[in-house]
Amino acid sequence: MSTDGASIVIIDDEPPIQKLIRVTLRAHGFMVSEASTGQDGIVKVSTFRPDLVILDLGLPDLDGVDVLSRIRSWSQVPIIILTARDQEGEKIKALDAGADDYVTKPFSMGELMARIRALLRRLPMGSSEDAILRCGQIQIDLSQHTVMRGSERIKVTPTEYELLKILAQNSGRVLTHKYLLQHVWGGQQWQTESQYLRIYIGHLRKKIEDDPARPKYIITEPGVGYRMIFPD
Amino acid sequence: MITRTDHLRLLPYLYVVVLVAALTFIIHVIGLSIERVNAAVLYLIPVLLTATRWGRGPAFFAATLGVVAFDFFFVPPMLSFTVSDLRYLVSFAVFLFVAIITTTLTSKLKLQIYKMRQNEEYTNALYLLSRKMAAASSLADVVAVMHSIKPAVIYGNLALYVPNGDHVLQRVVLGDDDLWSSFEGEEQIVIWVYDHQKKAGRGSSRLGQSSRGYFPLCTEQVVCGVLAYDLFNNDELSEEQLQRLDTISGVCALAVARVQLAEQAKSVHLAKESERLRNILLDSISHELKTPLATVIGSITAVIDGDHVLADEDKKELLLMIREGGMRMNRLITNLLNMVRWETGMVQLQRRWCYIDEVIGAALEQLKDTLATRSVLVNIPENMPFVFVDDVLLEQVIVNIVSNAAKYSHEGESIEIIVMLRGQGLQLAISDQGFGIPKEEQSHVFEKFYRTQNANHHPGTGLGLTICKNIVEAHNGWIKACDNERALHGTTIVLWIATTFQQDVGFEGDALLCQQTEPVSSLLTMNRPFRN
């Protein structure tokens, strides 16, 4: 899908950051509108129905996570959050509340652009009618519960299959440990179980990656979770 | 050999002799000698007097002497010890018996009174001790109180050992009145007592032969120190004395424990406070430094990565943002460094004769980008004399205040600077029509890292006004924030710095120093709008 002409709402109270993103995104052919408070941001998102939202977590009026949950209550628009390094806890809360990705300040514009493109390219949830998820060389057949790597069939356990399916269905998105554990294991005590997750991710990497030490498909987001990407 | 104390002991006997002799003489003179029974009863007077004053021994002596004198002078045959009527022997026996009974009773009473006095003194001391201990707020106080009641409790010296911050037992020294001299090995004893929470030394089973004694200071939960005592005499300690020392050590223990807990609480509070300051500092610096840094890095990467799509004007805009970000970081770092310079006393005023117009002009010139959309009214009295100030620092004060005025007001709102001479100094009032500072926060805005609630979402470190205050105070002046009374809302920062004036600076230094005596209002004559 072409990303040209997509509309983006920036919610950030720092004029220089706002201006930086606006200038760059406009130059790359996006339509940009801005809000400097949470309230204003929610209004702009609901009126403009943008293709993507960039949300700073430190806003003057509302808690960033609040803004996010309010938008999520009626919209599945991809949301990228901007955080400072000292907002680690906030970041995970925001991802759990439904943010799709995050960028930590100071960020390079190239990185932000890549994240924006990845999210815009991602197929909307549930829109895929065919029962096969394709992610680079990996193919997941949802009806047969099989995984193919190129032409070779890979044996996976039911748990590994579930994990891979969720990652692939949300490719491009950062999925937190909590999210994965709840959706794969249905576990409530996710803090104590995050060790399982590491083990299963390790198994999956051994099966689908060329070099499990330098993964191409399943990327670790340290302290946050995992993300599946399409290798270009 | 008769020593001095023997002399003192013998003295009452001498008094008894004198008393009996005097009594005999009086009886003889007033002629009571005829009534012998009366005379015999009168001889009981010295016995009673002696018993109440000097105790049992002299009283017995007085009784015996009385009998002898009575016999000698009044029992026939007179002036002889022989007794003609043997019934007198019965009288003598009765007299002696009565004398002994009275003596015993009196001296017992006397002892009781003495003991009661002592008890009273001790009770008073104890009462005083607990009352003063309750008010003691430091270990030194505790020791001072202990020493003040010491005479009522023991004939000797007291010392207090308490663990210091490194958990090493240390004696609390009271000023120069430190009469305690430690001996080698005392520390070990004190540590033993502290660790085992048992008494040692004199009056206890362990090291009982020592001249000093050591009590652990125990409260219900903890042992908090050791009380040591040193007696000036070598008498055996009575049960009662030990009991008293025990009581005192109990009161001391409570006081020491209380002082220690108070100190702990204080240090926890201090640690919390410094933690809070550190957090504010970190927050403020990380936010203040990171936002411009994010802009700079973002802009640079945008230019690098998007070179092919960015139009020239976009690139220029990004470059301007890089410049602005860099300048913002520079301001922060300058402020921080200035703060450090002030705190370490590295700044010294360099007063010079200068025109205040020029100082303000230079400050506004520095801020011309920030003030691009505003009008700045500068009000300076005509014939403004030269002032003797550190112009560089004063310029910084004006820059900080005016940039705050711009930051906390809306674009387009004007800023006013009023200069006037007041007393032996120069007053500046800088007003904006912005959001204002809540009254309860106005006195705090000069504190380090303080940000008002309104300011929280504006960039800033809470250092600018602190630096202003430092500079103004270095000029022997003052600075305050108040509501802008000339507008509906906004803030006025008023500052006054002490300076001398000079109407004109001559070439040979022949200028006249002038004292400003004109009323202040008449100086507000000139209104020069200063527009950038």
Side-chain angles (χ1 to χ4, degrees), chain B residues 81-294:
Chain B
F81 289 112
T82 50
V83 178
S84 56
D85 191 342
L86 283 176
R87 277 174 304 177
Y88 276 111
L89 289 179
V90 179
S91 306
F92 292 162
V94 171
F95 179 84
L96 273 179
F97 181 69
V98 171
I100 287 168
I101 297 281
T102 12
T103 304
T104 317
L105 285 177
T106 319
S107 56
K108 258 194 190 158
L109 194 68
K110 205 187 142 201
L111 195 71
Q112 261 174 5
I113 290 174
Y114 173 73
K115 276 204 169 160
M116 270 168 68
R117 280 233 178 96
Q118 252 197 341
N119 272 338
E120 191 193 342
E121 207 177 312
Y122 167 69
T123 315
N124 273 341
L126 205 61
Y127 171 68
L128 210 63
L129 175 75
S130 49
R131 212 183 55 188
K132 282 185 175 172
M133 281 296 186
S137 59
S138 69
L139 288 174
D141 285 355
V142 172
V143 176
V145 172
M146 229 167 60
H147 281 282
S148 73
I149 57 99
K150 188 177 63 184
V153 186
I154 60 160
Y155 179 57
N157 220 337
L158 290 168
L160 187 66
Y161 286 85
V162 173
N164 64 9
D166 303 324
H167 303 286
V168 176
L169 281 168
Q170 264 187 344
R171 189 155 52 81
V172 183
V173 180
L174 180 72
D176 302 327
D177 305 341
D178 194 27
L179 303 169
W180 193 266
S181 54
S182 289
F183 57 87
E184 209 180 317
E186 180 164 49
E187 224 167 83
Q188 273 72 42
I189 304 177
V190 171
I191 291 170
W192 185 90
V193 170
Y194 184 79
D195 289 344
H196 292 78
Q197 304 186 27
K198 278 182 189 152
K199 293 176 202 172
R202 197 164 173 168
S204 72
S205 51
R206 197 181 155 87
L207 293 170
Q209 71 284 2
S210 160
S211 69
R212 291 178 177 183
Y214 304 89
F215 275 70
L217 293 180
C218 297
T219 62
E220 273 173 31
Q221 297 91 23
V222 285
V223 51
C224 54
V226 173
L227 178 73
Y229 59 89
D230 186 10
L231 298 188
F232 293 150
N233 55 23
N234 289 321
D235 298 347
E236 190 75 8
L237 271 178
S238 68
E239 195 55 39
E240 200 178 353
Q241 268 179 312
L242 275 174
Q243 190 99 46
R244 286 178 182 185
L245 284 168
D246 230 4
T247 316
I248 290 179
S249 74
V251 177
C252 273
L254 281 178
V256 170
R258 191 170 49 76
V259 168
Q260 283 174 341
L261 284 177
E263 271 168 13
Q264 273 171 25
K266 205 162 107 189
S267 71
V268 166
H269 177 75
L270 273 180
K272 260 192 188 159
E273 189 59 18
S274 74
E275 175 81 20
R276 195 183 67 86
L277 267 180
R278 218 180 11 243
N279 282 343
I280 293 175
L281 173 66
L282 264 180
D283 271 8
S284 135
I285 292 179
S286 70
H287 184 254
E288 270 312 279
L289 211 49
K290 273 193 173 158
T291 308
L293 201 60

Side-chain angles (χ1 to χ4, degrees), chain B residues 301-322:
Chain B
T301 53
V303 173
I304 295 172
D305 300 339
D307 196 31
H308 51 288
V309 290
L310 288 173
D312 280 353
E313 60 200 83
D314 291 337
K315 278 186 202 159
K316 173 135 193 249
E317 197 152 3
L318 290 170
L319 287 175
L320 287 175
M321 284 167 63
I322 295 172

Side-chain angles (χ1 to χ4, degrees), chain A residues 123-186:
Chain A
L123 295 174
M125 285 278 278
S127 71
S128 163
E129 286 302 316
D130 48 347
I132 294 177
L133 288 173
R134 287 192 181 80
C135 183
Q137 279 193 300
I138 311 293
Q139 283 184 32
I140 305 167
D141 190 324
L142 296 179
S143 57
Q144 303 290 315
H145 284 221
T146 55
V147 180
M148 303 285 285
R149 183 167 179 261
S151 54
E152 164 198 8
R153 180 163 171 190
I154 298 173
K155 281 181 192 156
V156 288
T157 66
T159 310
E160 285 166 5
Y161 173 79
E162 278 302 311
L163 186 58
L164 186 62
K165 190 181 90 181
I166 284 185
L167 283 167
Q169 278 172 337
N170 293 286
S171 63
R173 274 186 79 186
V174 177
L175 300 180
T176 62
H177 296 137
K178 185 178 170 184
Y179 181 92
L180 288 170
L181 283 162
Q182 277 179 350
H183 286 77
V184 178
W185 281 269

Side-chain angles (χ1 to χ4, degrees), chain B residues 416-436:
Chain B
E416 191 174 24
I417 304 175
I418 299 173
V419 182
M420 55 181 83
L421 299 176
R422 194 165 205 180
Q424 276 300 303
L426 176 76
Q427 180 173 305
L428 262 85
I430 300 171
S431 308
D432 63 53
Q433 297 167 15
F435 321 132

